[in-house]
């Protein structure tokens, strides 16, 4: 997907990424999840320490899990959405 020229003329903020990972038993047993996490760790470690990039994390199996990753918390909070047919946040 390529953005239009008029969009590119707007003030630029920090990059934002939403990372979505399959955490099902099949994903874990196949090694897919481990490979994805290894790759993400490597990529994040290459970012400069003062990089303002923002991240969001979603994981899923038979439910969807959203995470509150604010830096001021001691550990992330996880919100589980079990009703997949009519999700509401």
């Amino acid at each position: 997907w390529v953005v239009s020229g008029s969009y590119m003329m707007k003030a630029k903020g920090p990059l934002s990424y939403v990372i979505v990972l399959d955490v099902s038993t099949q994903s874990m047993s196949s090694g897919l999840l481990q490979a994805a996490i290894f790759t993400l760790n490597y990529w994040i470690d290459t970012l400069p320490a003062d990089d303002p990039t923002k991240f969001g994390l979603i994981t899923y199996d038979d439910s969807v899990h959203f995470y509150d990753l604010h830096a001021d918390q001691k550990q992330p909070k996880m919100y589980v959405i079990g009703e997949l047919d009519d999700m509401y946040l």
Side-chain angles (χ1 to χ4, degrees):
W1 183 67
V2 178
V3 297
S4 67
S6 62
Y7 179 83
M8 294 300 291
M9 298 304 288
K10 295 178 183 178
K12 295 177 178 85
L15 292 175
S16 298
Y17 295 94
V18 176
I19 299 163
V20 182
L21 296 172
D22 177 358
V23 294
S24 65
T25 303
Q26 183 177 3
S27 177
M28 286 188 252
S29 63
S30 71
L32 179 63
L33 180 60
Q34 183 178 3
I37 291 171
F38 177 81
T39 302
L40 285 169
N41 279 332
Y42 176 80
W43 175 66
I44 290 169
D45 285 344
T46 63
L47 296 173
D50 60 346
D51 191 296
T53 301
K54 296 180 180 182
F55 297 93
L57 178 62
I58 301 171
T59 57
Y60 66 93
D61 49 16
D62 58 347
S63 57
V64 178
H65 319 102
F66 296 91
Y67 298 84
D68 183 349
L69 302 171
H70 285 107
D72 60 344
Q73 299 179 123
K74 291 183 180 181
Q75 62 183 25
K77 292 180 184 175
M78 180 174 76
Y79 302 95
V80 179
I81 310 296
E83 179 57 52
L84 302 180
D85 294 331
D86 190 22
M87 258 199 281
Y88 178 77
L89 300 176

